[in-house]
Amino acid sequence: MLQMEEAIEILQEQVTAIRETEQIPLLEAVGRILAQEGRAGLDQPPFPRSPLDGYAVRGQDTEGAGKENPKLLQVIGKIYAGEAFSGRVGENQAVRLMTGAPIPDGADTVIRQENSDYGEDQVQIYQSSKPYQNYCYQGEDYQAGAVLLKQGQVMDGAAVSVAASMGLQEVSVYRKPRIAVISTGDELTEPGIPLKAGKIYDSNLYLICGRLAELGATPVYSCHWDDEPEGLAEEIRKLAGKTDLIVTTGGVSVGEKDIMHEVIRLLAARQLFWRVNVKPGAPTLAAVYEGTLIICLSGNPFAAAANFELLVRPVMGKLTGDKRWMVKKIRARLETDYSKPKGSRRFLRGYAEDGKVWLAAGNHASGALSSLVGSNCLVEILPDQAGARKEEEVWVYLL
Amino acid sequence: MLQMEEAIEILQEQVTAIRETEQIPLLEAVGRILAQEGRAGLDQPPFPRSPLDGYAVRGQDTEGAGKENPKLLQVIGKIYAGEAFSGRVGENQAVRLMTGAPIPDGADTVIRQENSDYGEDQVQIYQSSKPYQNYCYQGEDYQAGAVLLKQGQVMDGAAVSVAASMGLQEVSVYRKPRIAVISTGDELTEPGIPLKAGKIYDSNLYLICGRLAELGATPVYSCHWDDEPEGLAEEIRKLAGKTDLIVTTGGVSVGEKDIMHEVIRLLAARQLFWRVNVKPGAPTLAAVYEGTLIICLSGNPFAAAANFELLVRPVMGKLTGDKRWMVKKIRARLETDYSKPKGSRRFLRGYAEDGKVWLAAGNHASGALSSLVGSNCLVEILPDQAGARKEEEVWVYLL
């Protein structure tokens, strides 16, 4: 049977990273992937800046100054932050200035106001200062031409603020991925509608849409579909080309109502694979129709959940260029025993913390959903293992 | 000076957890805090369910069955997933059924179709089965009355899908926090506008708004304000009562243009504290006006950034009841030397991974912003330390 890593490679080959861009206001870019380089157009700060409230002077004029031996300087101006000053500080002159104000030409240091008599026309300086003490250099944070933001990086709060500091009002980001999610199955009822005999509520649609939204990609289309292959094929025909990826749940096994095989046939879509060596979720089916990848997950809730993490997320990572979609794998010490028959590569729900991992209490069946709440990882038990014992090291896939 | 932990306590005392709720569609609830309990109204599955395609039979009727010694059973009906069946499986009878279909009364096990001749009126059974093998019990996932979702928990993808499985179309969540962000300073220019001499671009507004949005709380109000205390006091007067928290940057030091002291005075707001033993950002000022907490951060970009993480996030945590706002503290091994004068509690930008932490390259000055990009933590150097050495263990605050 196809190995999971092979399946991931086959799926990733079918998608190309989104390259269409959009220009959006800076704050709307939070969480998006930058499509441009962020190169500084000016030094930051753009001028030598005072780091405190005080007097801009020539250091040499303060030599030997002290409380007992003040230096008297002539105050030739006053600069608040945000103001420009065209004068020049000459010998035995000073300019009163506030934090953030530009240090005027001629001056090479700033005397803290607490070390003066706060004079307005003349000022007594009580401390000497060396040139470039209390002096914030032009370009100290960054210099014009520096690449501060890289194409392909996530625009987080820090990146947004750095872009603002460069004067960028808008940035170019890659467009959002367009994902369609379809749950199939005659047995599924939309939440909110009274349940008839033999029916259950549709949780898969909410699981896949919910996880996508949680990870930053609200689907552009989501719908439940009954087991009617013709109608569903027609719907997928309409969605292809308008979406980057279609994820379905249900109908992938071998029964009469496992309609996804028929849907693929009706579409004359190119089947990539059916069945992957992963439990739960082995019958995952994948196809390409008119360039749009279709990943058909099992209808068992935990099988759909696990294969979303294992197979769909790497595809989202390739598509968006956003590494956060890639599931991080770590080694952790199992705190719970578990046994299984050899032969299958099993993924279990668990909770990992500080290098330890506990299997979720309760039902591990692929049809059981509720123990997914509170789980934060999948625990892998390899095919050649008949389970795993407490204190054994296992691979853990952090969700 | 006030210790950081004391400041956090004082700030948290001024806010009460949001208790107003709203009823919203399930998928819109992703990321929100649940205001209700999620108690199952029905068993899941609501009926005994077939885990595979096959024949529902009485286990005792298959005793001794084998490929060489098949048991012939009469097929009295067929059930697809989603269908109800009112008949009862009697002695030597079988019902054809598909994965997910209810197991009819009388039957206690399901024979996999591969272990039969797929008969339609009569079926040859090639394998014996014990009662309750291949049998998914009613309520196996959860039982009516079980509390599956707790008031106060985050509605992640898993929680949303479990709510859907219970039939919930909408859930009650706490309303979003209403945060106003104001940057102050005559020197600040809105990005996109050409920079005049002496001015810099406003990055603080974007930093605080960006971080809030990144962490899930897009501000309801954000604005830059010049150093006009009367106008700003009037604006805060309007915002109070409509917002849960007002965060400002700039104007908290001791200079002539440090207007926030004057704003607090004009509002006759109750000052909670001014100055905290944290570097950068010591001059943080806090006040309460008509029940609304106002946290005034330093205008130095890194000081604003650090104190947002250290002081504002715990307030957001208390307000929203969402633990994700709480900064996680871990011990990590420093991979970079750093020296500082003793006496101040210093926070530095760093990057932590796998128990190690590297200080950000470049400028650690509180006025420097760019090295915040790529940092993922704050590294704490305690007041009694004159820096820290490579391989020393330090506290790291994960952002």
Side-chain angles (χ1 to χ4, degrees):
Chain A
M1 216 190 309
L2 192 69
Q3 293 305 309
M4 185 176 86
E5 288 73 12
E6 297 170 304
I8 291 170
E9 205 172 307
I10 292 170
L11 293 172
Q12 284 186 325
E13 272 169 17
Q14 300 306 320
V15 293
T16 47
I18 292 166
R19 279 292 161 264
E20 296 107 300
T21 62
E22 50 184 342
Q23 193 80 5
I24 58 174
L26 203 45
L27 278 176
E28 289 175 25
V30 173
R32 301 291 291 276
I33 302 297
L34 192 63
Q36 65 174 78
E37 196 176 66
R39 189 183 287 269
L42 73 178
D43 291 341
Q44 174 58 26
F47 42 78
R49 181 165 66 178
S50 178
L52 40 83
D53 293 319
Y55 294 85
V57 300
R58 304 176 343 138
Q60 65 195 91
D61 295 342
T62 67
E63 255 185 60
K67 189 73 195 174
E68 305 305 309
N69 180 34
K71 287 273 175 174
L72 187 68
L73 303 179
Q74 187 198 353
V75 179
I76 62 165
K78 187 169 187 176
I79 324 175
Y80 290 104
E83 288 184 348
F85 184 80
S86 57
R88 183 178 176 88
V89 176
E91 200 178 334
N92 293 326
Q93 290 185 331
V95 165
R96 178 82 169 105
L97 83 183
M98 304 302 155
T99 308
I103 296 176
D105 286 349
D108 56 24
T109 186
V110 178
I111 302 294
R112 193 183 287 276
Q113 64 186 8
E114 291 87 337
N115 296 322
S116 77
D117 70 349
Y118 293 77
E120 296 203 355
D121 299 324
Q122 290 191 317
V123 61
Q124 301 267 17
I125 299 296
Y126 302 141
Q127 195 174 52
S128 71
S129 176
K130 293 214 174 75
Y132 306 107
Q133 268 192 339
N134 296 339
Y135 186 99
C136 177
Y137 289 89
Q138 176 171 339
E140 182 174 287
D141 189 355
Y142 55 81
Q143 299 187 342
V147 176
L148 302 175
L149 301 174
K150 294 196 184 98
Q151 189 176 341
Q153 82 165 71
V154 177
M155 288 299 285
D156 57 14
V160 160
S161 70
V162 167
S165 80
M166 289 192 273
L168 298 178
Q169 188 180 25
E170 295 185 328
V171 284
S172 172
V173 297
Y174 295 113
R175 73 156 169 80
K176 293 182 181 179
R178 299 186 190 117
I179 316 298
V181 182
I182 299 169
S183 63
T184 70
D186 287 342
E187 74 278 25
L188 301 182
T189 298
E190 178 78 4
I193 295 171
L195 209 56
K196 289 188 186 150
K199 305 274 190 185
I200 59 169
Y201 284 114
D202 183 2
S203 61
N204 283 338
L205 189 70
Y206 290 82
L207 177 76
I208 306 300
C209 291
R211 275 301 275 164
L212 283 168
E214 190 184 343
L215 296 165
T218 301
V220 293
Y221 172 99
S222 67
C223 194
H224 168 256
W225 209 269
D226 276 336
D227 292 331
E228 308 166 43
E230 290 79 11
L232 180 51
E234 187 50 38
E235 194 68 8
I236 289 178
R237 207 169 272 131
K238 287 183 210 155
L239 289 170
K242 288 188 222 157
T243 53
D244 301 304
L245 173 66
I246 300 172
V247 180
T248 72
T249 63
V252 291
S253 193
V254 291
E256 280 181 40
K257 288 289 182 121
D258 283 313
I259 61 157
M260 292 312 300
H261 304 285
E262 176 66 4
V263 169
I264 299 302
R265 200 190 60 74
L266 287 167
L267 286 169
R270 180 162 56 90
Q271 182 168 317
L272 298 169
F273 60 75
W274 176 50
R275 298 183 71 74
V276 182
N277 183 18
V278 163
K279 193 169 160 39
T284 299
L285 170 69
V288 176
Y289 175 69
E290 304 220 331
T292 296
L293 179 61
I294 307 167
I295 305 179
C296 310
L297 304 174
S298 162
N300 273 321
F302 178 53
N307 285 274
F308 171 82
E309 307 295 336
L310 298 171
L311 299 177
V312 177
R313 283 180 61 174
V315 172
M316 291 298 296
K318 171 91 181 285
L319 193 59
T320 59
D322 185 346
K323 291 189 188 74
R324 293 172 299 177
W325 285 101
M326 300 307 187
V327 176
K328 196 182 169 191
K329 252 173 96 170
I330 59 163
R331 296 290 282 174
R333 207 183 67 171
L334 197 60
E335 297 289 313
T336 328
D337 286 321
Y338 180 75
S339 62
K340 73 157 180 58
K342 284 191 180 187
S344 64
R345 186 170 178 181
R346 188 85 166 89
F347 288 91
L348 302 164
R349 286 159 263 212
Y351 180 80
E353 197 176 294
D354 295 334
K356 296 178 193 167
V357 62
W358 292 260
L359 297 181
N363 192 336
H364 277 280
S366 59
L369 177 66
S370 59
S371 61
L372 207 61
V373 173
S375 296
N376 68 0
C377 67
L378 295 175
V379 180
E380 181 178 30
I381 312 291
L382 294 169
D384 58 355
Q385 293 179 303
R389 291 194 166 279
K390 201 169 161 227
E391 310 217 331
E392 220 172 277
E393 276 225 329
V394 289
W395 281 111
V396 165
Y397 295 60
L398 299 175
L399 306 187
Chain B
M1 220 191 303
L2 193 67
Q3 293 306 308
M4 186 177 83
E5 288 72 12
E6 296 170 303
I8 291 170
E9 204 172 310
I10 292 170
L11 294 172
Q12 284 187 324
E13 272 170 17
Q14 301 305 319
V15 292
T16 49
I18 292 166
R19 277 294 160 262
E20 295 106 301
T21 63
E22 49 185 341
Q23 193 80 6
I24 59 173
L26 204 44
L27 278 176
E28 290 176 25
V30 173
R32 302 289 293 274
I33 302 297
L34 193 62
Q36 65 175 77
E37 195 176 65
R39 189 184 286 269
L42 75 177
D43 292 342
Q44 175 56 26
F47 42 78
R49 182 166 66 177
S50 178
L52 41 83
D53 293 320
Y55 294 84
V57 300
R58 304 177 344 142
Q60 65 195 94
D61 295 343
T62 67
E63 254 185 60
K67 188 74 195 176
E68 306 305 311
N69 180 31
K71 286 274 176 170
L72 186 68
L73 302 179
Q74 188 199 352
V75 179
I76 62 164
K78 188 170 188 175
I79 324 175
Y80 290 104
E83 288 184 348
F85 184 79
S86 58
R88 184 180 175 86
V89 175
E91 202 179 332
N92 294 323
Q93 291 185 330
V95 164
R96 178 84 169 105
L97 82 185
M98 304 303 156
T99 308
I103 296 176
D105 286 350
D108 56 24
T109 187
V110 178
I111 302 295
R112 191 182 287 275
Q113 63 187 9
E114 291 87 339
N115 295 322
S116 78
D117 67 350
Y118 292 77
E120 296 204 350
D121 299 326
Q122 290 189 315
V123 61
Q124 300 268 15
I125 298 296
Y126 301 141
Q127 197 176 51
S128 71
S129 175
K130 294 214 175 74
Y132 306 108
Q133 269 191 341
N134 296 338
Y135 187 100
C136 179
Y137 290 89
Q138 175 172 337
E140 185 174 286
D141 189 356
Y142 55 80
Q143 300 187 339
V147 176
L148 302 175
L149 301 174
K150 294 197 184 97
Q151 189 177 341
Q153 81 166 72
V154 178
M155 287 301 285
D156 57 14
V160 160
S161 69
V162 167
S165 79
M166 290 193 273
L168 298 177
Q169 187 182 23
E170 296 185 327
V171 284
S172 173
V173 297
Y174 294 114
R175 74 157 169 80
K176 293 181 180 178
R178 299 186 190 117
I179 315 298
V181 182
I182 300 168
S183 63
T184 70
D186 285 344
E187 74 277 25
L188 301 182
T189 298
E190 178 77 3
I193 295 171
L195 209 56
K196 290 188 184 149
K199 305 273 188 184
I200 58 170
Y201 285 114
D202 182 3
S203 61
N204 283 339
L205 189 70
Y206 290 81
L207 176 76
I208 305 300
C209 290
R211 275 301 275 163
L212 282 168
E214 191 185 344
L215 296 166
T218 302
V220 294
Y221 172 100
S222 66
C223 194
H224 167 256
W225 210 268
D226 276 336
D227 292 331
E228 310 165 42
E230 291 78 11
L232 180 51
E234 187 51 36
E235 194 68 7
I236 290 177
R237 208 170 271 132
K238 288 184 209 154
L239 288 168
K242 289 187 220 157
T243 53
D244 301 304
L245 172 66
I246 299 171
V247 180
T248 72
T249 63
V252 292
S253 193
V254 292
E256 280 181 42
K257 288 286 182 126
D258 284 311
I259 61 157
M260 292 313 300
H261 304 284
E262 176 67 1
V263 169
I264 299 302
R265 200 191 59 75
L266 287 168
L267 286 168
R270 181 162 57 90
Q271 183 167 318
L272 298 169
F273 59 76
W274 176 51
R275 298 184 69 75
V276 183
N277 183 19
V278 164
K279 193 170 159 49
T284 300
L285 170 69
V288 176
Y289 175 69
E290 302 218 331
T292 296
L293 178 61
I294 308 166
I295 305 179
C296 309
L297 304 174
S298 162
N300 273 322
F302 179 53
N307 285 274
F308 172 82
E309 307 296 337
L310 299 172
L311 299 177
V312 178
R313 282 181 62 174
V315 172
M316 290 299 294
K318 170 89 183 283
L319 194 56
T320 59
D322 186 345
K323 292 188 188 74
R324 292 172 300 178
W325 285 100
M326 299 308 186
V327 176
K328 198 183 165 187
K329 251 174 96 168
I330 59 163
R331 295 290 280 176
R333 207 183 68 172
L334 198 60
E335 297 289 312
T336 328
D337 285 323
Y338 180 77
S339 63
K340 70 158 185 55
K342 284 191 184 189
S344 64
R345 186 171 178 180
R346 189 83 164 94
F347 288 91
L348 302 164
R349 286 160 262 212
Y351 180 80
E353 196 176 295
D354 295 334
K356 296 176 192 168
V357 62
W358 292 260
L359 297 181
N363 193 337
H364 277 279
S366 59
L369 177 65
S370 59
S371 61
L372 207 59
V373 173
S375 296
N376 68 359
C377 66
L378 296 175
V379 180
E380 181 178 30
I381 311 291
L382 293 170
D384 58 355
Q385 293 177 303
R389 291 197 165 277
K390 202 171 161 210
E391 310 216 331
E392 218 171 281
E393 276 226 326
V394 289
W395 280 111
V396 165
Y397 295 59
L398 299 175
L399 306 186

